[in-house]
Amino acid sequence: IAAANPLVRLVQQANGGKWAASNTALRYIDTDYFIILDADSVLERDAIIWIMQPFIEPEIGAVSGIVEVGNSHNWLTSCQNLEYRVSQNIHRRAYEVFDGILVVPGAIGAWRTKAMIAAGLFSGETITEDADLTLAVHRAGFRVVMAENARAHTEAPEKVQSFMSQRLRWTLGMLQVSWKH
């Protein structure tokens, strides 16, 4: 369906990570804003409309959506569902008050193109490129805010080993980002 749409361009490259693919895609756009999603993200119907609203303010460099667990069907995924709801609906809102949002999540995030360029684009220097870029956008002088009605559903790890691997990656990545910035 998308291939038949003249507004859609398929760009292919060898696998170099999401950060490299995102930077490649940026070479093909000429828009003031863009949205990046994880492959396992499913947007709610009006998510794009909601996530674009904050860009009316020129100092906004990035907008975080809300990520919800889309596969909450066992004890582990149900716990993650609760965790996501608290961390994003309460913590992120609190961080926003102090212009301190640390991560525009890969599952749903919108970016002002000139803020991305000023921040140096995505980097492969850390394993949490979304957090790395979020801090770089802050350091480039832009604000990062949350759009609470822009929601995406993602697949949470269903087994303890996968969960632990994810959290280890997130923890090590945040340490890398902290050291870098």
Side-chain angles (χ1 to χ4, degrees):
I1 296 171
N5 186 330
L7 298 175
V8 174
R9 177 185 292 176
L10 176 63
V11 177
Q12 294 179 311
Q13 71 176 41
N15 185 1
K18 183 178 175 184
W19 71 271
S22 298
N23 287 344
T24 297
L26 283 170
R27 290 195 294 257
Y28 292 92
I29 67 169
D30 60 359
T31 60
D32 293 332
Y33 318 95
F34 61 94
I35 297 170
I36 294 180
L37 309 171
D38 287 340
D40 63 355
S41 295
V42 177
L43 296 180
E44 287 192 0
R45 183 177 188 94
D46 295 332
I48 293 174
I49 293 168
W50 287 111
I51 204 164
M52 294 306 297
Q53 297 302 311
F55 287 117
I56 197 159
E57 297 180 34
E59 72 274 9
I60 303 299
V63 181
S64 167
I66 298 289
V67 182
E68 296 180 350
V69 172
N71 62 328
S72 181
H73 57 259
N74 68 26
W75 182 81
L76 182 58
T77 56
S78 294
C79 288
Q80 290 173 84
N81 188 30
L82 179 61
E83 175 203 17
Y84 276 43
R85 289 176 186 270
V86 170
S87 69
Q88 295 188 57
N89 289 307
I90 297 172
H91 295 152
R92 189 167 286 145
R93 188 179 311 280
Y95 296 150
E96 182 181 36
V97 170
F98 301 103
D99 193 26
I101 292 177
L102 298 177
V103 181
V104 171
I108 180 172
W111 305 86
R112 185 181 299 273
T113 305
K114 75 177 185 180
M116 283 280 299
I117 292 167
L121 304 178
F122 280 104
S123 167
E125 296 173 348
T126 70
I127 57 176
T128 49
E129 72 281 339
D130 48 4
D132 189 358
L133 181 59
T134 302
L135 289 185
V137 166
H138 277 294
R139 294 180 75 192
F142 292 89
R143 289 184 46 229
V144 177
V145 298
M146 177 180 98
E148 65 185 277
N149 292 321
R151 295 178 182 267
H153 301 270
T154 193
E155 298 296 308
E158 296 183 5
K159 298 186 187 235
V160 172
Q161 184 175 355
S162 300
F163 173 78
M164 296 302 289
S165 294
Q166 177 195 60
R167 298 313 166 100
L168 179 61
R169 185 180 69 80
W170 288 359
T171 300
L172 292 176
M174 289 307 290
L175 289 171
Q176 289 177 319
V177 169
S178 297
W179 180 258
K180 178 179 175 180
H181 292 278

